[in-house]
Amino acid sequence: MTNKRLLYVTAFDDRHGKRRWRFRRKGYPPYSFKSPHGTKAFEREYAACLNADQAPVASRPSIPGSVSDVIARYYSDNAFLDLRPSTQGVYRGVLERFREAFGDVSIKAFDADRIARLMTAMRHKPHAAARLRKLLAQLLRLARRSKLVPVGFDPIKDTKAPKTEGGGYHPWTEEELAAFENEFPVGTKPRLAFDLLLYGAQRSGDVRLMTPAIIAGGRIRLDQSKTTNSVDIPVVAPLQVSLDAGPLGRVTLMETKDGEPYTEKGFYGMMKKACIKAGIPHCSPHGLRKAAARRCKDAGCTNEEGMAITGHKSEKEYLRYAGSNARPEVADAAMNKVMANRTVRLASTPSQPIEKRA
C-alpha cells in the first residue's frame, strides 16, 4: 500500500513541518488521517472513507420539532458521533432519504400507526425497513430527551418490522454455485468477486475494499469493518487461481471500469446482474457468506473452526476471543476440511448444468 498512490488521498505538511494525509472526494465527507501512512490502521481509515458514500446533508433551516430538525440534532449527538465512519455513512444515507420525504413533518406525527404503515409499505425491503425502524427509535429517544415530544411518547415499541423471508439472505446451494462458475470462468470480474466472497467468507463491504496488502503471503488478514473482529485465514487454491487470473484493480482488488473502488450499491448491482445472467436471479452476493458457513458445517468443522473463517463472534454471541481474535491455526484446520470435502464431492457428483430460471 505504501508504494501505491491512493485515490483521493493527498499529503501536506502541517505548521510544525510534519507530513499529514487527508481524504477529499466530491460528495464525500473530508477526512484527516490519524494513523501513520502505510500502516494497517491507515488502511482501515481509508476503507472507511471510501465506504461513506452518502447524500449531502441538507443545509436549509429546519422547522423546530420537525423530522429534519431532529435528524440534524442526531448528527451532532454522541449516539451518532461514536459510530464508525462507515456506519455513519450508511445511517446518513437512510436518514437523508427519510428527510427528503418527511423533513418538514413534525416528529410528533410519527405515532405507532404511522410507523406501522411505513413498515407495511416496505415489506418488499425488510432489511431496509428494520434499519429505518431502528433509526426512528434513535430519533424519538433524542426527541424525548430534548422535550420535543412527551416523555412517555414511545411508539416504536408498538410496531414491528416486516419479517425477513427465510431468515435473511438466501444461502446459495451447490447447484447455484456451479451455475455461476459455469457462466463466469476464472479471469472475469464477477468470478473474482464470487471467489473472494465464497472462499474468503467475508462480508461484501470488506471484500469490495480489499487491497493487495490484505491478501498477502497466502493469507487474508483484516479487521472486519462491521464488527472489528480480526480474521487470519488461508488463501485456498481456487481463490489463488482466481487472484492470479484477475482482473485486479490498482488500489483495491475490485475496481470499476473507471479504476475506482466499488460503492456498496455498485458492487451489489454488478453481482446481481451476474446472478441474473447465470439464471439464479434470487441469489445475491450476501448469500455467499452463508454458503461458506454451510460448507464449513457440511465438512464437519466445529463451531470454533467455522467462526475462525467467517469472523463471527459466535453462533449467537456466545463465543468471544480474548485479545486478538484472529485464529490462523484454527482457520487452517477448518479450510483443510472444507477443501477435502469439496474434493470428495466433486469426485462423486457428475457435472450437470443447472436449468436457468426465468
Side-chain angles (χ1 to χ4, degrees):
M1 183 172 170
T2 54
N3 297 325
K4 295 186 178 183
R5 179 181 174 273
L6 299 179
L7 293 174
Y8 319 114
V9 175
T10 55
F12 67 97
D13 293 329
D14 65 15
R15 59 191 181 90
H16 301 294
K18 186 176 181 179
R19 178 55 57 99
R20 302 283 187 181
W21 300 83
R22 60 191 168 204
F23 177 94
R24 287 183 176 178
R25 183 181 183 185
K26 186 177 180 180
Y28 286 60
Y31 182 76
S32 296
F33 288 90
K34 309 295 189 299
S35 305
H37 184 270
T39 63
K40 285 284 186 181
F42 186 98
E43 188 170 311
R44 288 194 293 270
E45 291 181 48
Y46 178 61
C49 290
L50 293 173
N51 202 30
D53 45 336
Q54 72 227 33
V57 179
S59 57
R60 66 186 182 86
S62 301
I63 300 172
S66 66
V67 166
S68 186
D69 176 38
V70 178
I71 289 176
R73 293 170 186 248
Y74 176 62
Y75 286 159
S76 57
D77 190 78
N78 283 334
F80 180 79
L81 296 175
D82 288 342
L83 298 171
R84 294 174 61 83
S86 56
T87 304
Q88 289 181 357
V90 172
Y91 283 11
R92 277 185 185 273
V94 175
L95 291 172
E96 289 307 312
R97 288 189 291 272
F98 189 71
R99 186 207 292 260
E100 186 176 350
F102 302 104
D104 291 338
V105 178
S106 171
I107 193 68
K108 293 180 181 178
F110 286 88
D111 56 14
D113 179 64
R114 187 164 193 170
I115 295 172
R117 283 187 276 117
L118 273 176
M119 296 297 102
T120 301
M122 297 177 71
R123 282 192 63 81
H124 62 298
K125 298 188 292 185
H127 293 282
R131 181 172 287 163
L132 175 60
R133 181 176 177 275
K134 176 182 177 180
L135 287 172
L136 282 174
Q138 292 280 351
L139 296 182
L140 288 164
R141 186 176 297 116
L142 189 149
R144 289 194 297 272
R145 196 174 70 225
S146 302
K147 297 181 173 57
L148 299 175
V149 296
V151 174
F153 187 72
D154 186 15
I156 289 293
K157 62 182 176 62
D158 295 323
T159 65
K160 184 178 179 182
K163 184 178 179 181
T164 303
E165 185 179 351
Y169 296 105
H170 167 68
W172 295 40
T173 65
E174 290 300 321
E175 291 77 16
E176 290 159 352
L177 295 173
F180 196 97
E181 291 171 340
N182 291 335
E183 184 68 33
F184 296 99
V186 170
T188 59
K189 189 177 294 184
R191 179 59 176 271
L192 176 61
F194 171 90
D195 287 335
L196 282 167
L197 289 163
L198 179 61
Y199 293 109
Q202 302 306 306
R203 296 178 180 85
S204 294
D206 290 316
V207 166
R208 68 185 176 84
L209 297 177
M210 279 185 180
T211 65
I214 288 177
I215 296 189
R219 307 197 69 83
I220 300 175
R221 298 182 177 93
L222 61 82
D223 292 337
Q224 294 179 328
S225 59
K226 185 175 181 179
T227 64
T228 68
N229 258 19
S230 299
V231 293
D232 184 338
I233 62 178
V235 174
V236 293
L239 177 54
Q240 188 60 59
V241 170
S242 196
L243 288 168
D244 291 341
L248 300 181
R250 186 169 56 87
V251 176
T252 54
L253 298 179
M254 299 295 307
E255 290 183 352
T256 66
K257 62 181 180 180
D258 298 323
E260 294 194 12
Y262 276 96
T263 63
E264 180 181 0
K265 290 182 179 179
F267 185 79
Y268 180 87
M270 183 269 291
M271 286 298 291
K272 193 63 179 180
K273 288 178 182 177
C275 290
I276 293 172
K277 187 176 180 182
I280 47 174
H282 54 291
C283 292
S284 74
H286 304 302
L288 284 169
R289 190 163 181 248
K290 282 191 170 183
R294 173 183 56 75
R295 281 185 164 185
C296 288
K297 183 178 180 181
D298 292 346
C301 296
T302 66
N303 289 336
E304 184 181 18
E305 289 172 334
M307 287 182 285
I309 290 176
T310 64
H312 285 114
K313 289 184 177 179
S314 64
E315 275 184 303
K316 287 192 175 181
E317 299 300 313
Y318 95 98
L319 180 62
R320 293 177 183 273
Y321 298 123
S324 174
N325 45 26
R327 299 292 299 277
E329 72 288 350
V330 178
D332 288 353
M335 272 300 187
N336 287 338
K337 289 183 179 180
V338 171
M339 298 312 296
N341 191 62
R342 175 178 179 270
T343 301
V344 171
R345 186 177 60 251
L346 291 177
S348 60
T349 305
S351 178
Q352 293 181 350
I354 188 173
E355 182 180 347
K356 290 190 176 184
R357 301 189 184 187

